[in-house]
Amino acid sequence: DAGVTQSPTHLIKTRGQQVTLRCSPKSGHDTVSWYQQALGQGPQFIFQYYEEEERQRGNFPDRFSGHQFPNYSSELNVNALLLGDSALYLCASSLAVLRTGELFFGEGSRLTVL
Amino acid sequence: SQQGEEDPQALSIQEGENATMNCSYKTSINNLQWYRQNSGRGLVHLILIRSNEREKHSGRLRVTLDTSKKSSSLLITASRAADTASYFCATDTITGANSKLTFGKGITLSVRP
């Protein structure tokens, strides 16, 4: 039973560039949430996708966008990168019907913006 | 914004001792969850307690919830060096759509062998 997988694990970009991060949810899950975790901080909710639509969004600018595919996998895109976007980006999956269940996290994609 | 605040920020204990971590939150919740994160890795779910529950056990873990005080505590008994990690409380707030979790800043637990 595959868990949540994320790619790439590490990447380095320069200011102004764009990045795409990918996530495959745990088998059987249909909801994907993305979190940003700065060094020494807790994860901050970016947005959540269910049925290929953005269902909820945190306090992040429009530079952060996403997509969910029919197979439930998801992408996070960040445009016009800033130094402050350097963080660990975590994908978490869940099953919508449970509504208030646990999240299963991937190992994250560590983004460094120079 | 942070919903939960953990206390203390850092905790260092000897192997075999108990570790108690606290979390306070601000708004009404559906449930409260505790997660563990080893350095730079993904988060692992530990335990979930619903708003109508007061105490829950799972192995060496005991979590309590006091909704009147908007606080929770996580007790790890007979700690091991492998328990060294960051611990986060996360609240699932009442919304009309799919639920989402709001995390605190975390507690760094060091267990000395």
Side-chain angles (χ1 to χ4, degrees):
Chain A
D1 181 19
V4 179
T5 58
Q6 293 187 242
S7 64
T9 55
H10 296 81
L11 69 166
I12 299 173
K13 294 285 188 178
T14 57
R15 281 178 296 175
Q17 285 189 313
Q18 178 264 345
V19 67
T20 297
L21 308 177
R22 296 176 177 81
C23 171
S24 292
K26 179 179 168 64
S27 178
H29 284 183
D30 56 11
T31 301
V32 173
S33 301
W34 286 92
Y35 287 81
Q36 179 196 64
Q37 185 178 24
L39 200 61
Q41 300 295 314
Q44 295 281 308
F45 177 77
I46 302 175
F47 42 53
Q48 181 184 81
Y49 277 85
Y50 171 65
E51 291 186 333
E52 303 179 49
E53 290 188 11
E54 183 182 292
R55 298 293 176 166
Q56 295 196 73
R57 189 179 183 89
N59 189 25
F60 279 81
D62 292 344
R63 297 186 297 110
F64 289 77
S65 63
H67 189 76
Q68 186 179 36
F69 299 94
N71 66 352
Y72 307 118
S73 67
S74 176
E75 288 182 349
L76 164 65
N77 300 292
V78 186
N79 294 322
L81 285 168
L82 304 174
L83 295 179
D85 295 331
S86 294
L88 181 67
Y89 288 85
L90 294 162
C91 169
S93 73
S94 56
L95 188 58
V97 68
L98 297 179
R99 290 209 70 240
T100 57
E102 65 185 271
L103 294 183
F104 289 78
F105 281 85
E107 293 294 332
S109 295
R110 183 163 297 281
L111 170 65
T112 301
V113 182
L114 302 177
Chain B
S1 61
Q2 305 285 159
Q3 153 80 315
E5 288 190 12
E6 294 95 342
D7 169 62
Q9 289 187 321
L11 181 61
S12 181
I13 59 174
Q14 200 74 32
E15 202 166 29
E17 294 180 337
N18 294 341
T20 299
M21 290 169 270
N22 302 300
C23 170
S24 60
Y25 57 92
K26 299 173 184 175
T27 63
S28 296
I29 60 172
N30 280 332
N31 64 64
L32 184 144
Q33 303 179 34
W34 286 88
Y35 286 79
R36 184 184 75 194
Q37 184 179 38
N38 288 71
S39 180
R41 306 290 297 277
L43 281 76
V44 175
H45 179 267
L46 294 176
I47 195 166
L48 179 154
I49 186 165
R50 302 191 186 283
S51 59
N52 60 354
E53 297 175 315
R54 291 297 167 258
E55 185 172 315
K56 204 164 182 179
H57 296 254
S58 177
R60 293 185 296 114
L61 305 179
R62 186 188 81 150
V63 64
T64 62
L65 179 65
D66 187 334
T67 53
S68 65
K69 295 181 179 178
K70 290 186 170 59
S71 66
S72 172
S73 67
L74 174 67
L75 170 68
I76 303 175
T77 60
S79 64
R80 306 165 182 169
D83 294 328
T84 294
S86 294
Y87 291 81
F88 296 89
C89 72
T91 51
D92 183 3
T93 55
I94 299 171
T95 65
N98 293 336
S99 60
K100 69 176 185 182
L101 293 185
T102 304
F103 288 82
K105 292 185 178 180
I107 297 171
T108 300
L109 173 64
S110 297
V111 181
R112 303 186 302 274

